[in-house]
């Protein structure tokens, strides 16, 4: 077991840096057996620091120090400086000086994928959050912002392309077949935004003319075999650039913007200044190899990283506790962008599904933390759904409270006031307050209090007075280290519907004119309990609550099934229509689980789905979403002490019942949505494919031979990956064992040379309770295409098994848990970030029914007892065992 507990870093202990770095001059000598890094820093004492004689402290990790020179004088180890594992400390330094540090690193042996490493023969970097210290000694914290000049030297044949941040200012040949390129970035930036790429890449080029008429050179660099798969990312980039000008008034600043695709990457992408580095799976797309979902994901990630140029790079974070300052805001920005590019209702449904399934689970688990955490051990563990998605919801609520115009005034002020600075979430809220004149004091609690607020709503109708009263109570559950929370400021959007589905005027006082009263209002909750009265109502209305999901809360209201069916077909808010369908399905499934299957499946559910399948007037993208039953993960999240096997069984039973009852409608739906036109990724055609593939999946669920034949035909004839994958998935999840094996084998044969498709092929098996039982998962790990060094492969088998194949993972014999523990221990030695992410499903052990939780805990304890536990895994495992 690890004996050294990693240090806890606390927000309350933040101190301004004692030294500032104005300029960084880097020279990289890249070789096959390692790299030498010469770094010259122009340093001065920080006038704002109280520590006048503070030593210079530079962070470092896994570095071989070769030389230290201060103002031209070589320093001696022990005498002039001390090198501990994690720091280089120079006790006496002048007020202003130049420091050169030479280090030797081994990118070829870097399996953590932090700092400088090699992926498919290409050198690349990942510095956020603390990877720059794996390259050279540096005050590696975001409030030290410097101007960088970077010269890269490498073998010209193996690394013809040499890239870094900013503009390319010099290049030339060197002896021995080597060459160099020098890059200069005029914008001061924190070290986490530094990037370098060197390799044999081809580029796709384009240009973008900004609103002020500047022409920007756009380039996407990929390995030669991927040259034809960049168009979609390029188009997405241009749309993002235009949108950020139009919606936020943000123009791009450098002359060139580059994206590089890398196969081995710990996450999706990285917003390095002017040189975004992407996981290949988040850039490369073609009709033949990428699904609609992948196309949409690429568009949103390209946008997200591009938007960071302002929300993150020009205005950055003071410290890592402020991570949501850039991530929450940027997710809000990319999500609004995607909504504008496609269907806003569908985008909202997708965002809320993720939030309610996964972020709410995080908020209720041992790693629960506020949007602005108060402490951490390993910052990599805090790139969470809370920081990103809940953070985005918090910004969305400010947008709702202020309205679009004042919000834009606020964001303008924020960018103008803090351009070139490293700031806090408080600065963001302050700019919103100053621009709008609104007091957001209480609202700030959203940043400091963890946990998902619960809103309990009850209503009474007084027919004599014609008054409908709505009582809304809020409570915020305890989370690790936080109890007795204060009420938060919550925007609560609602409408009321009459018996015919008509939107009723919302009159808060009896004197209000019915004709001018709005039919939707945003109520502001600030107290533990509020009662609102709505006047002039001649009948008890059906409430449409928390429209658009106006706040990230759990909503409790005693809906009757009649009300839900009614809202499903009448609510003018598309989001709430979908939500009513989800609540109805959840209610039906839950009551079956609770009664151990002794009650009948409510025929209203079947009829509601029948109506949906027949409805041609409703937005088909919404219908496609409404047809998806709540996921197992969501049902588990909603349950206390869930019995996973029972939930899985019951959900399948409901699905089979629906499919059997609606069999003819499903066949008709399939035929109606068979695409005959050109493949395009528009909301309409995505919806058609989704409807068609849902129908197929349902038909195969009940072993319908027509469905099977349609799936086989679709697999043979499809001209796009969405349809191929839809058919393959349906077969894999069916009982047609022979067809399943054949389809999987043929698919692999056809696509084996494409890593992104092979990842999908792994996932479709790992997520299936038919094809992904433990022995099959173990076989996938031995498959020649599986690669322990490649995070995408690891995620597509191990991550998908533990996160999506819930019945198999939660096998009551504990084998799934023990398997995950083994893989996590193995991965911790090579890539701790990935190990700490993969362990997440085990950390929620307390939630599950006792038979499961005891076994989950045992698996976690085994990980805790591993020798040499990384700080990443230590934090997650200990916090979850101790919570
Ligand atoms: N900022 C990066 C995430 C870095 C994660 C470091 N462990 C990507 C993004 O959110 O845009
Ligand atoms: Zn981001």
């Amino acid at each position: 077991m690890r004996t050294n507990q990693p240090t806890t870093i606390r927000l309350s202990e933040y101190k301004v840096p004692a030294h500032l770095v104005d300029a960084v001059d880097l020279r990289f000598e890249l070789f096959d057996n390692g790299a030498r890094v010469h770094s010259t820093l122009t340093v001065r004492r920080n006038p704002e620091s109280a520590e006048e004689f503070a030593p210079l402290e530079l962070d470092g990790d896994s570095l071989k120090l070769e030389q230290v020179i201060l103002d031209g004088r070589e320093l001696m180890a022990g005498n002039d400086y001390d090198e501990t594992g994690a720091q280089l400390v120079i006790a006496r330094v002048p007020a202003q000086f130049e420091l050169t540090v030479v280090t030797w690193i081994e990118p070829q042996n870097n399996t953590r994928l932090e700092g400088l490493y090699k992926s498919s023969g290409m050198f690349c970097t990942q510095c956020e959050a603390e990877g720059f210290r794996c390259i050279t000694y540096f005050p590696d914290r975001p409030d030290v912002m410097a101007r960088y000049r970077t010269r890269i030297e490498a073998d010209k044949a193996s690394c013809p392309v040499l890239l870094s941040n900013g503009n390319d200012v010099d290049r030339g040949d060197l002896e021995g077949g080597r060459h160099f390129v020098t890059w200069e970035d005029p914008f001061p930036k924190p070290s986490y935004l530094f990037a370098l790429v060197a390799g044999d890449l081809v580029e796709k080029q384009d240009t973008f003319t900004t609103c002020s008429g500047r022409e920007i050179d756009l380039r996407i660099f990929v390995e030669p075999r991927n040259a034809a798969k960049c168009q979609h990312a390029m188009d997405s980039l241009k749309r993002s650039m235009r949108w950020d000008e139009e919606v936020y008034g943000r123009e791009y600043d450098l002359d060139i913007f580059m994206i590089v695709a890398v196969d081995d990457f710990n996450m999706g992408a990285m917003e390095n200044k002017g040189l975004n580095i992407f996981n290949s799976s988040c850039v490369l797309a073609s009709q033949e190899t990428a699904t609609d979902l992948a196309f949409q994901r690429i568009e949103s990630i390209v946008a997200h990283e591009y938007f960071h140029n302002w929300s993150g790079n020009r205005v950055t974070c003071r410290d890592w506790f402020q991570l949501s300052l850039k991530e929450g805001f940027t997710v809000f920005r990319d999500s609004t962008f995607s909504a504008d590019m496609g269907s806003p209702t569908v985008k909202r449904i997708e965002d809320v599904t993720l939030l309610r399934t996964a972020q709410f689970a995080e908020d209720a688990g041992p790693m629960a933390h506020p949007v602005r955490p108060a402490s951490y051990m390993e910052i990599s563990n805090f790139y969470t759904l809370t920081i990103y998605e809940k953070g985005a919801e918090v910004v969305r609520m400010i947008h709702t409270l202020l309205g679009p115009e004042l919000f834009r005034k606020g964001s303008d002020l924020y960018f103008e006031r803090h351009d070139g600075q490293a700031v806090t979430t408080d600065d963001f809220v302050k700019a919103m307050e100053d621009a709008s004149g609104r007091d957001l004091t209480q609202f700030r609690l959203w940043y400091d209090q963890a946990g998902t607020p619960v809103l309990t709503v009850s209503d009474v109708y007084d027919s004599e007075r014609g008054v409908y009263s709505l009582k809304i109570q809020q409570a915020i559950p305890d989370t690790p280290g936080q109890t007795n929370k204060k009420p938060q400021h919550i925007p609560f959007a609602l409408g009321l519907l009459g018996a015919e589905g008509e939107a009723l005027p919302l009159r808060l006082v009896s004197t209000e004119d019915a004709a001018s009263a709005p039919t939707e209002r945003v109520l502001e909750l600030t107290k533990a309990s509020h009662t609102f009265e709505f006047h002039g109502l001649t009948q008890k209305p059906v409430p449409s609550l928390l429209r658009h999901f106006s706040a990230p809360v759990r909503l409790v209201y005693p809906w009757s099934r009649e009300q839900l069916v009614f809202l499903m077909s009448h609510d003018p808010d598309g989001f709430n229509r979908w939500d009513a369908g989800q609540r109805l399905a959840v209610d039906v499934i839950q009551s079956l689980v609770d009664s151990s299957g002794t009650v009948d499946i409510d025929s209203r559910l079947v009829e509601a789905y029948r109506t949906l399948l027949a409805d041609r007037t409703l937005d088909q993208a919404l219908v496609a979403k409404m047809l998806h039953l709540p996921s197992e993960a969501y049902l588990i999240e909603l349950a206390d002490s869930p019995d996973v096997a029972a939930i899985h069984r019951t959900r399948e039973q409901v699905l089979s019942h629906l499919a059997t009852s609606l069999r003819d409608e499903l066949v008709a739906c399939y035929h109606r949505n068979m695409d005959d036109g050109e493949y395009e990724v528009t909301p309409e055609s995505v919806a058609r494919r989704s409807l068609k593939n849902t129908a197929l999946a349902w038909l195969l669920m009940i072993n319908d031979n027509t469905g099977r034949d349609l799936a086989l035909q679709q697999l043979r004839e499809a001209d796009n990956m969405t349809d191929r994958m839809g058919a393959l998935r349906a077969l894999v999840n069916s009982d047609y064992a022979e067809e399943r094996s054949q389809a999987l084998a043929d698919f692999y044969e056809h696509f084996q040379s494409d890593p992104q498709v092979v990842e999908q092929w792994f996932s479709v098996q790992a997520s299936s309770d038919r094809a992904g039982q433990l022995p099959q998962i173990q076989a996938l790990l031995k498959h020649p295409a599986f690669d322990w060094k490649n995070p995408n492969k690891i995620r597509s088998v191990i991550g998908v098994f533990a996160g999506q194949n819930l019945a198999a993972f939660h096998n009551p014999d504990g084998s799934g848990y023990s398997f995950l523990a083994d893989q996590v221990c193995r991965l911790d030695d090579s890539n701790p970030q990935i190990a700490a992410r993969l362990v997440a499903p085990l950390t929620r052990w307390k939630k599950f029914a006792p038979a499961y939780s005891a076994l989950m805990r045992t698996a976690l304890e085994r990980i805790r007892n591993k020798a040499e536990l990384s700080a990443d895994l230590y934090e997650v495992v200990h916090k979850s065992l101790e919570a």
Side-chain angles (χ1 to χ4, degrees):
M1 194 205 295
R2 180 190 173 110
T3 41
N4 294 337
Q5 181 179 330
T7 336
T8 297
I9 322 276
R10 292 175 210 286
L11 170 60
S12 58
E13 291 168 7
Y14 173 83
K15 281 199 280 193
V16 297
H19 294 93
L20 299 177
V21 180
D22 292 320
V24 183
D25 203 314
L26 295 166
R27 180 157 80 94
F28 286 84
E29 298 177 84
L30 305 178
F31 305 102
D32 286 343
N33 67 339
R36 181 162 290 111
V37 185
H38 308 251
S39 156
T40 300
L41 312 179
T42 309
V43 189
R44 68 188 155 95
R45 204 160 51 218
N46 182 1
E48 280 168 30
S49 165
E51 300 172 73
E52 211 183 320
F53 301 105
L56 178 72
E57 294 175 346
L58 305 178
D59 306 298
D61 185 348
S62 319
L63 301 172
K64 187 160 172 265
L65 182 62
E66 292 191 340
Q67 211 178 19
V68 185
I69 302 169
L70 195 152
D71 283 338
R73 181 176 79 88
E74 177 154 7
L75 303 188
M76 302 318 254
N79 282 348
D80 303 313
Y81 68 84
D82 281 310
E83 195 193 9
T84 67
Q87 277 197 324
L88 173 67
V89 181
I90 309 180
R92 282 176 303 279
V93 286
Q96 216 168 336
F97 56 97
E98 212 178 73
L99 182 79
T100 298
V101 176
V102 182
T103 48
W104 175 257
I105 53 179
E106 296 188 348
Q108 73 280 10
N109 297 327
N110 180 349
T111 58
R112 285 159 56 190
L113 315 186
E114 294 172 79
L116 180 64
Y117 64 94
K118 274 186 118 169
S119 171
S120 323
M122 171 197 334
F123 289 89
C124 61
T125 53
Q126 172 53 37
C127 292
E128 187 177 359
E130 298 181 334
F132 194 70
R133 64 186 64 185
C134 306
I135 294 174
T136 181
Y137 279 107
F138 194 79
D140 194 12
R141 43 187 288 170
D143 53 358
V144 172
M145 297 173 82
R147 287 197 172 77
Y148 285 65
R149 185 184 166 90
T150 306
R151 175 179 156 119
I152 311 165
E153 303 174 5
D155 176 61
K156 197 169 180 176
S158 57
C159 293
V161 173
L162 305 175
L163 310 173
S164 191
N165 319 86
N167 302 311
D168 151 357
V169 292
D170 193 15
R171 59 173 64 226
D173 286 336
L174 300 167
E175 277 176 15
R178 292 173 66 80
H179 72 147
F180 77 93
V181 179
T182 304
W183 292 82
E184 214 169 63
D185 182 359
F187 294 96
K189 64 168 175 287
S191 49
Y192 82 84
L193 290 174
F194 171 79
L196 173 156
V197 170
D200 186 4
L201 301 166
V202 295
E203 63 192 280
K204 173 165 186 69
Q205 210 193 335
D206 208 329
T207 57
F208 176 82
T209 307
T210 70
C211 50
S212 73
R214 292 173 41 243
E215 193 169 280
I216 314 295
D217 186 357
L218 307 178
R219 295 180 196 221
I220 300 183
F221 292 89
V222 296
E223 289 176 46
R225 65 191 163 88
N226 293 322
K229 291 190 183 174
C230 304
Q231 189 60 48
H232 177 64
M234 185 62 91
D235 293 342
S236 303
L237 174 61
K238 292 198 282 184
R239 285 195 288 273
S240 313
M241 296 178 87
R242 184 64 70 216
W243 186 90
D244 212 16
E245 292 183 344
E246 288 172 1
V247 180
Y248 280 87
R250 300 293 111 201
E251 185 180 356
Y252 186 62
D253 46 14
L254 290 162
D255 300 333
I256 180 166
F257 185 84
M258 298 174 280
I259 288 178
V260 182
V262 172
D263 280 349
D264 304 297
F265 207 62
N266 276 349
M267 66 269 174
M270 178 63 211
E271 70 264 24
N272 315 299
K273 182 78 189 186
L275 176 56
N276 288 358
I277 298 184
F278 273 61
N279 187 319
S280 298
S281 70
C282 302
V283 189
L284 304 175
S286 70
Q287 172 179 341
E288 292 75 30
T289 61
T291 59
D292 294 343
L293 202 70
F295 272 92
Q296 288 168 339
R297 201 166 113 83
I298 289 168
E299 182 183 65
S300 83
I301 298 181
V302 166
H304 179 98
E305 306 310 332
Y306 174 73
F307 296 157
H308 267 316
N309 190 54
W310 274 97
S311 50
N313 301 3
R314 290 285 287 254
V315 182
T316 197
C317 302
R318 185 192 75 173
D319 53 71
W320 293 119
F321 299 101
Q322 319 299 328
L323 184 56
S324 196
L325 172 78
K326 73 179 179 82
E327 296 305 347
F329 186 24
T330 305
V331 172
F332 172 68
R333 277 151 56 67
D334 83 56
S335 144
T336 324
F337 164 77
S338 298
D340 285 353
M341 296 300 123
S343 154
T345 303
V346 167
K347 176 63 180 155
R348 191 68 190 131
I349 290 168
E350 288 164 355
D351 288 350
V352 173
T353 302
L354 175 64
L355 191 83
R356 287 207 297 214
T357 308
Q359 195 280 323
F360 282 15
E362 186 170 277
D363 239 355
M367 284 291 286
H369 55 277
V371 170
R372 182 171 66 181
S375 69
Y376 61 79
M377 287 178 177
E378 175 51 63
I379 187 57
S380 298
N381 288 330
F382 284 77
Y383 286 75
T384 59
L385 290 150
T386 301
I387 301 294
Y388 278 68
E389 317 304 326
K390 185 174 181 180
E393 293 295 322
V394 170
V395 177
R396 174 182 296 274
M397 287 188 286
I398 298 180
H399 186 275
T400 303
L401 291 168
L402 267 54
E405 286 83 23
L406 289 177
F407 182 86
R408 168 66 194 270
K409 239 178 111 187
S411 70
D412 283 352
L413 179 62
Y414 167 73
F415 288 125
E416 183 192 311
R417 190 184 267 177
H418 298 296
D419 190 8
Q421 297 177 4
V423 303
T424 65
T425 54
D426 245 357
D427 294 317
F428 179 80
V429 179
K430 184 79 173 59
M432 290 292 163
E433 285 185 321
D434 291 351
S436 67
R438 288 215 52 166
D439 179 355
L440 296 173
T441 311
Q442 185 185 6
F443 186 85
R444 283 181 170 81
L445 288 171
W446 278 105
Y447 287 94
D448 294 325
Q449 296 191 154
T452 308
V454 180
L455 296 186
T456 307
V457 181
S458 57
D459 54 357
V460 197
Y461 175 63
D462 179 340
S463 55
E464 267 171 38
R465 289 173 61 222
V467 170
Y468 175 69
S469 355
L470 212 52
K471 183 170 175 193
I472 310 179
Q473 291 171 289
Q474 69 162 296
I476 307 172
D478 291 348
T479 45
Q482 277 192 345
T483 52
N484 293 326
K485 297 177 196 184
K486 300 190 188 114
Q488 289 178 186
H489 184 175
I490 301 176
F492 188 92
L494 91 165
L496 297 176
L497 303 188
E500 305 302 319
E502 71 279 21
L504 301 170
L506 305 181
R507 297 160 64 189
L508 287 170
V509 285
S510 56
T511 49
E512 201 171 342
D513 181 20
S516 59
T519 55
E520 180 172 307
R521 280 185 186 272
V522 179
L523 307 174
E524 296 194 20
L525 315 178
T526 52
K527 297 183 289 187
S529 179
H530 289 263
T531 301
F532 298 93
E533 290 196 337
F534 298 93
H535 295 260
L537 299 168
T538 55
Q539 48 177 310
K540 183 173 183 180
V542 177
S544 165
L545 304 170
L546 200 71
R547 279 191 171 164
H548 336 291
F549 206 67
S550 62
V553 298
R554 290 179 198 267
L555 179 62
V556 183
Y557 173 79
W559 276 285
S560 66
R561 290 190 183 168
E562 284 79 14
Q563 282 179 318
L564 292 172
V565 171
F566 177 82
L567 289 170
M568 271 180 89
S569 48
H570 291 105
D571 202 318
D573 178 35
F575 174 83
N576 266 8
R577 268 194 191 211
W578 168 82
D579 197 31
Q582 293 289 294
R583 286 178 194 275
L584 179 65
V586 165
D587 193 39
V588 168
I589 297 171
Q590 271 174 349
S591 55
L592 281 167
V593 172
D594 294 345
S595 71
S596 308
T598 53
V599 297
D600 287 336
I601 298 175
D602 194 327
S603 59
R604 280 171 295 196
L605 186 70
V606 181
E607 292 320 309
Y609 276 83
R610 198 189 303 282
T611 311
L612 271 177
L613 279 167
D615 194 333
R616 315 279 184 82
T617 55
L618 200 58
D619 173 6
Q620 294 297 293
L622 179 58
V623 174
K625 287 286 169 202
M626 290 184 80
L627 282 178
H628 291 163
L629 277 193
S631 68
E632 275 173 26
Y634 185 51
L635 292 163
I636 288 171
E637 207 287 312
L638 289 176
D640 291 326
S641 288
D643 176 343
V644 184
I647 290 180
H648 174 73
R649 215 174 31 244
T650 312
R651 185 179 179 278
E652 299 249 302
Q653 182 196 342
V654 171
L655 212 51
S656 301
H657 179 74
L658 287 170
T660 311
S661 317
L662 302 170
R663 192 255 168 209
D664 294 345
E665 285 86 342
L666 290 167
V667 174
C669 170
Y670 183 89
H671 287 295
R672 196 167 64 237
N673 287 294
M674 271 177 88
D675 232 336
D676 41 9
E678 283 267 296
Y679 175 83
E680 38 175 23
V681 190
T682 57
E684 299 73 37
S685 45
V686 169
R688 286 166 71 87
R689 284 188 287 275
S690 169
L691 284 168
K692 179 176 63 181
N693 287 311
T694 301
L696 205 54
W698 286 25
L699 289 170
L700 272 104
M701 183 78 209
I702 51 169
N703 306 320
D704 184 278
N705 286 341
T706 308
R708 176 203 54 197
D709 295 344
L710 289 172
L712 291 171
Q713 183 187 354
Q714 182 172 315
L715 204 50
R716 278 193 308 274
E717 295 174 4
D719 69 350
N720 66 82
M721 185 49 81
T722 306
D723 284 342
R724 261 189 217 263
M725 211 20 107
L728 182 68
R729 188 176 296 280
L731 282 167
V732 165
N733 288 324
S734 77
D735 289 327
Y736 294 108
E738 226 171 87
E739 286 86 344
R740 171 202 314 154
S741 315
Q742 192 58 46
L744 282 168
D746 293 348
F747 187 97
Y748 183 74
E749 170 77 21
H750 191 86
F751 289 107
Q752 56 182 304
S753 61
D754 188 312
Q756 283 76 51
V757 183
V758 172
E759 284 152 23
Q760 299 176 60
W761 180 80
F762 277 135
S763 297
V764 78
Q765 297 174 76
S767 64
S768 159
D769 73 321
R770 305 286 204 288
Q773 290 298 320
L774 195 52
Q776 290 140 344
I777 299 295
Q778 270 153 339
L780 290 180
L781 296 184
K782 299 219 162 60
H783 192 279
F786 188 82
D787 176 0
W788 282 101
K789 293 210 184 78
N790 179 256
N792 290 5
K793 299 290 184 304
I794 295 165
R795 281 187 282 256
S796 64
V797 178
I798 306 169
V800 168
F801 169 70
Q804 293 175 34
N805 191 353
L806 299 176
F809 173 63
H810 291 278
N811 189 321
D813 67 7
S815 56
Y817 308 148
S818 164
F819 165 79
L820 183 61
D822 289 343
Q823 313 320 318
V824 164
C825 288
R826 170 181 185 152
L827 284 162
D828 193 42
D829 295 329
S830 53
N831 190 332
Q833 270 186 29
I834 295 292
R837 291 222 155 224
L838 281 182
V839 78
L842 282 176
T843 63
R844 304 236 38 228
W845 62 277
K846 271 196 179 161
K847 179 179 174 66
F848 290 84
Y852 297 101
S853 73
L855 292 165
M856 292 171 90
R857 191 187 159 94
T858 307
L860 272 176
E861 282 167 346
R862 195 149 62 73
I863 301 174
R864 181 187 61 194
N865 295 339
K866 168 188 179 274
E868 310 269 338
L869 207 57
S870 69
D872 306 60
L873 200 50
Y874 181 102
E875 175 170 37
V876 178
V877 170
H878 278 257
K879 285 186 175 168
S880 73
L881 283 170
E882 285 150 22

